[in-house]
Amino acid sequence: AVPTATAAGSASGQLPDPSEFIAALQRVRLGQPEPPDSAALKNYPIYDYLLAARLRRDLASSPSAALDAAVEEFLAAREGQPVARALRHQWLTSLAQRGRWDWFLPRSLDVTDPALICERLSGRLATGDTSGLGAEALIRWSMPQEPPAECAPIYAWLRAQGLLTPALEENRARAALTAENVMLAREFVAAVPAERARPLVQWLELLDSPKQAFGMLATTPGVEPEALLAGFTRFANTDAQAAATVLPPLLARPDVTPALQGRLRRAFALGAAYGRIAGAVAAFDGLSAEFVDGPVHEWRVRAALWAADYDKAVEWIDRMPHALASQPRWRYWRARAVAQISGAEAAMPLFAELAGTRDYYGYLAADRLHREYDLNIRPTPDDAAVQAALAAEPGLIRAHALIDCDMADDAAAEWSAALAAASPVLKVQAAHLASRWGWYSQAVATLAQAENWDDVPLRYPRPYTAIVQDASKLTQVPPDWILAIIRQESLFRKDAVSRADARGLMQMQPATAAAVARRWHLPVPSRDGLFDPATAVRLGAAYVRELLDRYGNQLDLSLAAYNAGPVSVARWLPLQPVDADIWIENIPYAETRSYLQHVLEHIIAFAVVRDAEPPRLSALLPPVRPGASVAMTVKP
């Protein structure tokens, strides 16, 4: 029988020393001999996680029928608890790999993981349960996704049964092409019979190398309309100037219908706006109303601002749907355009409507009126009694212990399960509790779930104070700037990892961190070394300093480069000076534009919560100059 941990813990939130649990878990991970568990360890709030880790280890090294029974007993006793999730997934995978279909199939009916879905299909095939199997397997096979290796047996069966017809092969390839997944489309097109593959190969060429392909295919008959549109859209987005020369012969093709002409013109207009080329405003002006959608509404205004055509900007903002035009972004830009057309006095009431808003556009509006920033700070009640009751809940006791043991993902799962049905009022107290534990990412996230945005001090904690101060002293990057980047990059999670493998508090790529360390004569960190807050903050601040030096202390360019890279920023530099707010608005990457605006908001908030005079955006954002990128200098 598998023992069950008790929910030890106190209302005060004080937990036993985690060192014995951490040491035991490390022995499991390293495969080291284990002494008998002490009574204290068995009573530790997350002892179940140690038991689960041992079961997972044994499944990986020596699975058996007896172990399967032990795992099932463990899972049954903890059904629905977060501690069961990873173990259940690994167990089902192990059962499938061992062909224990009698155990696997009845327990896998609710799986959503693609690999386990394919294992379930393969298990049905292995046990002779083929009723409706072909149709169900074809649904999985048809998805424009890279199939997991576990799908190979069932896909081979489909092929052997003659169910993968040329038409289906073609449809799957088309789905990948429509999704613009070039790598996957190339794999799928290779499986299409040659007599059906020619238009798909053309489509693939147009996506893969649009500039080169259009040199050959722009006037070639028989190219499919959707292929032409997809390829031209990618061409316009990457090289709008070159795409402009291809557009007239493309529109003149006899097989291009009026509807396709409109879609091609729309694609070019958007590409011209992303590339900030002359003629973008004219391209939008020539679009028929039927091709004006959300992206066109927004980007034609941005193009007008870039071209200093403020009359057009006002006209196009006024044509936006009300829900869009009423956003702070477009209200600000309408005021800015009115100020350029009719003078500052005419725009003052429009700016005044925004100046009390706690966001980037509200601060810009306040600068135009020379008003103080109003962050509308309303601290929430800090109810110790309610928090003590929350801290005594078994799920939150486990979450607290998991945080103490640096098991943040498991802690977040326990937290979410425990508070799933909590009211917004209770979640606010939970946010205070998480902050008291030093779990700042969860405090901010829980406050957001409660839709409470006005407790600015709770949303803007200042952890890692000594580390940030040391990094600031080394690099001369202000502490508030460092904290603002940390908050936006990792939300204070020292173990954060992005899909691109950026790591740590300031989300640095390991290769970038190593290069910065060498330039600054600092120890080169290992990949996991970036999870050390002191290392991560020091190297992140050093890289920010390098970018500030590179861009003449221009903060907006430096932040954009931190997010999107210096190569992207080099493409975005203007040919003549432009106001920083217009330059930021015309950043073609929505992620980078939003990132930059949020970091600026954070800088102001961090100053306010320490009772300092916040910097003005008008001072932080001087005009962006041509050739703003200068030779990099490195502080020793």
Side-chain angles (χ1 to χ4, degrees), residues 26-65:
Q26 185 71 355
R27 286 192 293 270
V28 173
R29 291 168 177 166
L30 297 177
Q32 295 174 343
E34 298 178 89
D37 293 342
S38 69
L41 182 58
K42 291 179 180 178
N43 284 317
Y44 193 64
I46 52 172
Y47 181 58
D48 278 352
Y49 282 83
L50 176 61
L51 300 178
R54 288 170 175 165
L55 291 170
R56 293 178 64 189
R57 173 202 60 196
D58 295 343
L59 280 171
S61 62
S62 52
S64 66

Side-chain angles (χ1 to χ4, degrees), residues 310-449:
Y310 295 102
D311 289 305
K312 253 324 169 195
V314 170
E315 175 189 338
W316 282 337
I317 291 173
D318 288 346
R319 290 188 190 177
M320 285 179 169
H322 175 73
L324 186 61
S326 61
Q327 292 177 2
R329 179 192 309 273
W330 302 116
R331 290 163 60 199
Y332 169 78
W333 284 115
R334 193 179 191 285
R336 275 277 273 125
V338 167
Q340 293 294 134
I341 297 166
S342 305
E345 188 171 346
M348 285 180 65
L350 302 176
F351 284 127
E353 293 175 0
L354 281 175
T357 305
R358 186 183 58 244
D359 77 346
Y360 168 78
Y361 295 101
Y363 302 148
L364 289 175
D367 281 347
R368 293 280 165 175
L369 300 174
H370 306 289
R371 291 187 183 178
E372 296 298 315
Y373 295 159
D374 184 358
L375 273 66
N376 302 302
I377 297 175
R378 296 181 181 85
T380 53
D382 189 354
D383 191 325
V386 172
Q387 292 164 39
L390 281 170
E393 289 291 327
L396 295 191
I397 291 172
R398 292 192 293 268
H400 192 183
L402 288 161
I403 279 295
D404 282 353
C405 297
D406 283 337
M407 299 170 67
D409 289 335
D410 292 312
E414 291 280 2
W415 182 273
S416 296
L419 295 173
S423 68
V425 171
L426 193 59
K427 285 184 177 179
V428 167
Q429 295 308 312
H432 280 281
L433 179 63
S435 183
R436 182 165 287 113
W437 291 349
W439 193 9
Y440 300 111
S441 61
Q442 197 61 57
V444 174
T446 304
L447 205 59
Q449 291 166 12

Side-chain angles (χ1 to χ4, degrees), residues 63 120 156 203-204 231 244 277 307 317 324 362 458 482 498 528 542 590 600 628:
R120 181 164 52 79
W203 192 339
L204 186 58
I277 69 169
I317 291 173
L324 186 61
L458 189 56
I482 297 172
S498 76
D528 290 350
L600 291 169

Side-chain angles (χ1 to χ4, degrees), residues 148-207:
E150 290 81 0
C151 294
I154 193 67
Y155 290 176
W157 176 79
L158 286 173
R159 198 172 302 280
Q161 296 296 305
L163 295 175
L164 299 184
T165 65
L168 287 175
E169 297 275 16
E170 180 181 344
N171 288 341
R172 184 169 73 147
R174 286 184 180 279
L177 288 165
T178 301
E180 297 191 14
N181 188 331
V182 174
M183 292 182 62
L184 191 61
R186 185 178 294 112
E187 176 185 335
F188 288 175
V189 168
V192 177
E195 65 274 11
R196 289 176 172 265
R198 186 187 65 81
L200 305 181
V201 171
Q202 290 179 335
W203 192 339
L204 186 58
E205 290 171 350
L206 285 164
L207 286 176

